[in-house]
Amino acid sequence: MTQHILVTGGAGFIGSHLTRRLLERGDRVTVLDDFNDFYDPRRKRDNVAPFLERDDYRLVEGDIRDDDLVDRLFAEGKFDAVVHLAARAGVRPSLEEPLLYEEVNCIGTLHLLEAARRHGPEIFTFGSSSSVYGINKKVPFSETDEINQPISPYATTKRTGELLCYNYHHLYGLKTSCLRFFTVYGPAQRPEMAIHKFTDLLARGETIPMYGDGESRRDYTYVDDIIDGIVAVTDLAPDFEILNLGGAETTRLVDLIHWLAEELAVEPRIEYLADQPGDVPITYADVSKANQLLGYSPNVPIRDGLKRFVAWYTNQPTGE
Ligand code: NAD
């Protein structure tokens, strides 16, 4: 059955992939996005361009902090579900602007939950982050691990979002799912994220500034796998769940750089720099809960995903 889904942050990296998937399967999509300049908004315009002429797609330009706008949108929208991806993303910039992160990621999320409580829908899927785990001693990270020591403002805002979702589930019966995404990559990835940034530098023959000794490890998740998880949990609509969505394998930072260089057929030059505050030494998802509940299983191993990313990158008309 066709559903009408509100995707906040739908002009962004993950949101535009989700939009495509939902439209392809016959859903109607409304996007709410403020096209802010966290990175070049022209990239976001490019992300939405393929959908603008469609009857089953509507773009609303606005800010989730604007509670009047959000309230009107929900009152009129008659949505079947909300997938809330609008946020200030990224650990490092959150150290520079903690208040902005708090306002958008916490207050903005609260406006959406309030509007959903007043007008529906009852299904609310929230894009959380592996950063809530902080420096977790135990790997892989499970949803039951204790997470009381977030080490960046961004992580704190994402944990707050999860707690707000729980409130609205407990108090008002909203069916809220919080998905902890582990470093997502793929076509249209945010330009400041490592894979995109390193590819830029390698392609231009520039030196890569690498923080730490290169031994830090990340669980990278190809965007199609993340979209599988988002769609599955939104369709299932459990009462309340927190779920990891990861690639379920880890990659050393130096290996990532060398594999990207291999794909681009260049020799990498690396400048070793001190660790960055707020960065964690490892992320690694235990995805067994998502597997049990949703049948989630990451399909794209890192080397394949990097190949696909570089293929997208080298085909960009902007000469990326
Ligand atoms: P993105 O920046 O590409 O997308 C976010 C979108 O939200 C942008 O288009 C932006 O314009 C919009 N937005 C931001 N503030 C807004 C506001 N106040 N009002 C309306 N729209 C606003 O980022 P992304 O990588 O696609 O991330 C999507 C979501 O997933 C975010 O919530 C992010 O925290 C979360 N997440 C992403 C990753 C990742 O690796 N990409 C990992 C963990 C969690």
Side-chain angles (χ1 to χ4, degrees), residues 32-275:
L32 173 61
D33 200 297
D34 72 347
F35 290 82
N36 67 62
D37 64 357
F38 175 65
Y39 58 87
D40 189 344
R42 278 176 301 184
R43 291 181 185 274
K44 302 176 189 181
R45 300 277 166 208
D46 289 347
N47 290 343
V48 300
F51 315 123
L52 290 176
E53 300 301 319
R54 298 179 62 126
D55 292 338
D56 48 5
Y57 178 83
R58 180 181 171 211
L59 175 62
V60 177
E61 290 195 31
D63 194 318
I64 58 169
R65 289 170 293 178
D66 180 345
D67 55 342
D68 287 340
L69 171 97
V70 168
D71 190 73
R72 260 183 286 122
L73 183 64
F74 277 67
E76 294 161 6
K78 307 225 175 344
F79 304 117
D80 296 298
V82 178
V83 180
H84 173 34
L85 300 173
R88 287 289 166 152
V91 167
R92 288 178 199 157
S94 76
L95 275 60
E96 306 296 322
E97 293 189 282
L99 286 173
L100 175 64
Y101 274 67
E102 177 81 18
E103 282 167 13
V104 174
N105 298 0
C106 303
I107 306 291
T109 299
L110 198 47
H111 287 325
L112 295 164
L113 286 163
E114 265 296 288
R117 173 181 75 79
R118 282 198 288 264
H119 308 291
E122 61 173 12
I123 301 170
F124 193 101
T125 301
F126 171 61
S128 185
S129 163
S130 61
S131 64
V132 301
Y133 288 107
I135 303 175
N136 200 0
K137 297 267 180 329
K138 173 194 146 288
V139 288
F141 301 173
S142 312
E143 294 86 348
T144 48
D145 293 348
E146 203 182 280
I147 50 160
N148 291 323
Q149 292 174 323
I151 61 164
S152 69
Y154 172 66
T156 303
T157 65
K158 285 290 164 183
R159 181 60 183 144
T160 304
E162 295 182 350
L163 296 171
L164 290 170
C165 285
Y166 185 77
N167 284 174
Y168 277 71
H169 154 65
H170 176 80
L171 295 171
Y172 310 114
L174 290 192
K175 293 170 181 287
T176 53
S177 299
C178 306
L179 302 176
R180 292 179 179 165
F181 305 151
F182 284 66
T183 317
V184 190
Y185 73 104
Q189 189 195 36
R190 300 199 319 265
E192 93 290 355
M193 291 186 73
I195 290 178
H196 200 154
K197 191 174 77 182
F198 293 165
T199 306
D200 268 338
L201 292 168
L202 288 164
R204 287 195 239 114
E206 291 175 25
T207 301
I208 293 186
M210 191 182 71
Y211 299 106
D213 60 4
E215 292 298 316
S216 64
R217 304 186 83 97
R218 285 281 172 286
D219 187 334
Y220 295 100
T221 321
Y222 195 71
V223 65
D224 291 359
D225 288 326
I226 290 287
I227 302 302
D228 286 348
I230 297 175
V231 170
V233 85
T234 308
D235 285 348
L236 183 70
D239 286 340
F240 176 79
E241 291 294 347
I242 290 181
L243 297 169
N244 289 340
L245 293 183
E249 58 177 358
T250 66
T251 299
R252 279 195 319 164
L253 188 55
V254 285
D255 291 334
L256 179 80
I257 293 172
H258 281 98
W259 292 342
L260 280 171
E262 231 175 81
E263 290 304 329
L264 289 157
V266 296
E267 208 43 57
R269 285 204 312 259
I270 301 175
E271 184 190 2
Y272 286 76
L273 298 169
D275 274 325

Side-chain angles (χ1 to χ4, degrees), residues 305-320:
L306 293 180
K307 229 183 247 317
R308 292 191 204 181
F309 177 78
V310 170
W312 167 80
Y313 181 91
T314 46
N315 278 323
Q316 289 308 291
T318 48
E320 288 228 77

